[in-house]
Structures are given as structure tokens and as C-alpha cells.
Amino acid sequence: MQDVLPEFLRGRFVEAALSYVACNSEGELLCRNNDCWCRCSPRFPECNCPFADIKVMEENLEKSKDAWGSFNQEFMESDEFKAFLKRLPTDRFLNVSMIAKFWSADLSLQKRYAQLESSAVLVLGKAQKIVRKLFTLSKRCPKQPRISLPRERPVGFWLNRAQSLLYCNEHGVLGSFSEEVKTCICPSEQPTCQGVIPCIVGTASTSCSSCATDNATRCGSCHHGNLLHLGSCRPSIAASLDHYLNLDLDMPDTEICLTKNSTLEPVPAIYVNPFGGSHSESWFMPVNQPDFPDWERTRLDTGATAQCYNWTLSLGNKWKSFFETVHIYLRSRIVTDDPTVNETLFYEPLDLDDQTSNLGYMKINTLKVFGYSMHFDP
């Protein structure tokens, strides 16, 4: 054709040929800045929009979305996911973090979820390619196609779905559980999808230690220092400490006088100076008195050279108080057996002259007060 056509027609012939091929003889092909399009003739005002090709791409995108939905539905109906749901405890409320621990421990479920992830990656990749072609084809269409990609579903989605299946699946209708407000969002056609939501079992002082067996929505038992009241846990009210207050200012060294324990061994005695109060209002912790906890001792393995124990006094919420200072004393004493004599004999300090009369001594090596910080010199 280059030999047949005169030189002044060659360029116009190439343009006409390209317009015939690229624009179906419905317009003139124009190219500028690495971008080409058709200048449509008046008879074909929409020559730049290949409707047939766009329709095929839209149908392929719908097929990809259907395949993605099928993969997710198959996972939710799989034996592995159903077995995972059956293993979740129903006697207490499970938040997403608790469900995640059960998820991580289920190896068969992990393997099945990996299959879902690999299938979803392939489908989403194919759908993204179709979307890019759609944008290119519809670039100069008078109306842009409506495009929606499948939304990825990470592990967090399935944890929430498991939570919803536990608490929002009443009457065969699945809702969505909101952990923030601890309630279900049900479909409009079935507003009663919410089932039984058990009580929260936790380590906080006012949390339930277990849910009630006859009604899982209420507390069945509480932690130490709290009382069960109308299905919930509330802090116990401490008994009056008036009986233990030190108001006699004439007694010297009154902490030997007020220690209540009676034992041959040295016993730690805790003497409290109240915050903002005078020292005349100080009091000994009434260890092993009514409604008050006692020391718990654990023998430590230190060989035959010494007898070492770990002494623990767990007060709990009931005996919580503000204090200025706390003194820890060691007192060795024994109460006489004579019922007519109310006398306590103390064996301290040690008799350095007569070692045979000494019952031994006790030394505090370390001291820990949980919830507070204090220096201790043994």
C-alpha cells in the first residue's frame, strides 16, 4: 500500500485504517499523551463504550463473587468449624480474646482455614483483574458500571461470627453480636434472634467466679471479699474495727498487749496507723478473729540448716482501707493453761546468758505488699 498510495495520502490512509479497526467505522481514532480514544461520529455518539465487552466483564465479576461466597459458606458448614463451635464453653461469657485462644489451639480448624485463605486469595486476585479491565473499557462511557469487590474476611471476622452463633442464633435466625454493648443486632424480619448471654467470669474483684447453673445470665458465686446479691457480685462490708482500736495511751509497748494470736512460735503481727488519723486510733489486724482471714504458711525447701516459711495474709476487697504506715512485728508468746489466769508469757528478747532457755528466733527476709510499694530492711 505504501507503493500504491501517493505520499500525501499515506498518513490519512493509516489513520482511516486504525479508525476502522479500533472504532468499528463509528468514529475517528485519536491518540495523545499515550492515550487513545474514538471521536464518535454523530450517528454513533457512544462508540467509545464497548457495552458487549463490559457486560461480559460484569458477568465474570459476579461469578467470582459467587465463588467467593461459596468458599466461605463451605467453611462455615465444615466439620472442623462445627466441631470448634461445640468445644466452646457455654457456662460463661466468651469475649473475642477468649474465643481466639480456642481458635489457636484447634489445629484441624487452622488447616481448614488455611484452605479457605488460599482459595479466597485466588478468587480475589481474579476479581481485581476483572475490575481493572472494567475501568479501562468504561473510561469514556456515559455511565460508569457499578463495581463491588468481595470483602476480605480475616480471622477477626470468624471470631465474631462464632460469637454471634453462640449468642445470636435463636429461632434459626443468625444475627450479629456486639461485644461493646453485649447485645445482638437481629435482622429486621426476625427481631428475636438473641439467645442466652451468660455472665462474665473474670479475675476482677467484682466479677463472677462462676455463673448460676439454673440461670447462666446471673452470677452463681463471687470472689473472696465479695457477696452475691441479686445475681451480681458486690464488695463485702467490713465488720467494725472498734474492738481492735488502741485507745489506752498509758500502756507502754501496747502492741505486745493487743496481739491476739496464741502460739509458741513467733508470729507476724501487723499494726496499722490509719491515714489522717492519730496514732491513738491505730489497730492490729485481727488475724484469725471472726470473719477475718488467717495466715497461710508454706514450708520452703531450705535444707536442715533453717526452717523457712512463706507467710501469706490475703485480705481481699472486704478489708480494704487507707493507711499512713504499717508496722510488722514478730512476737513469741504462750498462753498459760490455767483458766483462772488470763496471762500471756512472752519469750523475748533472747536470754544471751542462758542459751538453753531460748526457743530460737525468727527473721523476716523479704516482704511483699501487693498493690503497694514499700522499702523493707530485714
Side-chain angles (χ1 to χ4, degrees):
M1 297 298 291
Q2 295 289 340
D3 294 335
V4 174
L5 292 173
E7 186 174 354
F8 72 92
L9 289 177
R10 291 175 185 173
R12 292 181 59 189
F13 172 77
V14 171
E15 292 175 358
L18 288 174
S19 297
Y20 175 81
V21 173
C23 301
N24 297 322
S25 298
E26 295 178 351
E28 178 184 357
L29 182 70
L30 300 178
C31 292
R32 293 192 183 92
N33 300 323
N34 295 320
D35 187 20
C36 296
W37 67 95
C38 297
R39 178 188 289 168
C40 299
S41 64
R43 291 178 55 197
F44 305 98
E46 297 180 353
C47 68
N48 276 307
C49 191
F51 290 106
D53 294 339
I54 290 175
K55 185 178 180 181
V56 171
M57 292 292 104
E58 289 178 332
E59 290 174 353
N60 290 338
L61 182 60
E62 286 299 319
K63 290 179 181 178
S64 296
K65 292 168 66 175
D66 292 341
W68 178 84
S70 297
F71 288 138
N72 284 277
Q73 188 64 28
E74 290 172 5
F75 173 75
M76 195 166 71
E77 295 175 356
S78 66
D79 294 337
E80 294 84 354
F81 188 71
K82 290 180 179 178
F84 164 71
L85 290 175
K86 289 182 179 179
R87 281 192 287 268
L88 294 177
T90 56
D91 61 340
R92 62 185 183 275
F93 174 73
L94 299 179
N95 58 25
V96 171
S97 299
M98 296 175 183
I99 297 176
K101 292 180 180 179
F102 288 98
W103 177 286
S104 301
D106 195 326
L107 298 181
S108 60
L109 180 66
Q110 299 289 318
K111 185 176 180 180
R112 182 64 182 83
Y113 179 69
Q115 296 176 8
L116 172 65
E117 278 190 314
S118 60
S119 301
V121 167
L122 293 175
V123 171
L124 289 174
K126 183 178 180 180
Q128 289 170 349
K129 290 180 180 179
I130 294 174
V131 168
R132 285 194 290 269
K133 290 182 180 178
L134 270 174
F135 276 121
T136 301
L137 291 174
S138 61
K139 189 174 182 179
R140 288 184 170 81
C141 289
K143 184 179 179 181
Q144 294 296 310
R146 297 181 65 182
I147 296 173
S148 62
L149 274 174
R151 183 178 298 178
E152 294 186 43
R153 291 182 172 179
V155 173
F157 169 85
W158 292 106
L159 297 179
N160 181 261
R161 176 56 61 91
Q163 203 177 38
S164 299
L165 287 167
L166 284 175
Y167 308 130
C168 307
N169 197 25
E170 200 73 6
H171 306 299
V173 177
L174 180 61
S176 178
F177 185 76
S178 175
E179 190 169 309
E180 290 77 11
V181 293
K182 203 180 176 186
T183 190
C184 296
I185 302 172
C186 301
S188 56
E189 67 274 9
Q190 180 56 268
T192 58
C193 68
Q194 182 165 315
V196 175
I197 302 177
C199 73
I200 298 176
V201 175
T203 57
S205 61
T206 55
S207 297
C208 307
S209 59
S210 67
C211 299
T213 55
D214 58 339
N215 185 355
T217 64
R218 301 164 68 91
C219 290
S221 60
C222 303
H223 294 289
H224 178 69
N226 293 275
L227 292 175
L228 183 63
H229 179 71
L230 299 178
S232 61
C233 294
R234 297 184 179 182
S236 301
I237 301 174
S240 174
L241 294 173
D242 293 343
H243 177 66
Y244 307 102
L245 294 181
N246 169 21
L247 301 177
D248 191 346
L249 304 181
D250 296 330
M251 295 179 65
D253 199 13
T254 52
E255 70 276 2
I256 297 174
C257 300
L258 295 183
T259 300
K260 299 293 182 180
N261 303 66
S262 298
T263 173
L264 190 62
E265 296 179 286
V267 176
I270 300 180
Y271 193 60
V272 178
N273 293 332
F275 182 80
S278 68
H279 285 205
S280 64
E281 298 173 351
S282 302
W283 54 281
F284 268 96
M285 284 193 178
V287 175
N288 203 21
Q289 296 299 303
D291 297 328
F292 201 90
D294 195 5
W295 289 104
E296 298 177 9
R297 291 196 304 170
T298 304
R299 177 73 182 268
L300 303 179
D301 186 11
T302 54
T305 58
Q307 295 184 31
C308 294
Y309 294 85
N310 179 35
W311 290 64
T312 303
L313 184 65
S314 302
L315 299 178
N317 189 73
K318 182 176 180 180
W319 294 97
K320 184 189 300 179
S321 65
F322 293 101
F323 58 84
E324 179 183 329
T325 53
V326 172
H327 304 273
I328 288 86
Y329 297 98
L330 293 176
R331 291 293 175 259
S332 301
R333 63 205 165 283
I334 185 171
V335 178
T336 61
D337 295 330
D338 187 350
T340 63
V341 179
N342 185 14
E343 183 181 5
T344 303
L345 302 179
F346 295 94
Y347 294 89
E348 59 177 344
L350 293 176
D351 189 342
L352 300 179
D353 297 329
D354 184 6
Q355 297 291 333
T356 60
S357 66
N358 294 328
L359 297 175
Y361 67 94
M362 181 168 156
K363 173 184 178 183
I364 300 179
N365 290 324
T366 58
L367 179 69
K368 291 183 180 179
V369 180
F370 295 96
Y372 304 94
S373 178
M374 60 192 302
H375 170 72
F376 177 71
D377 184 355

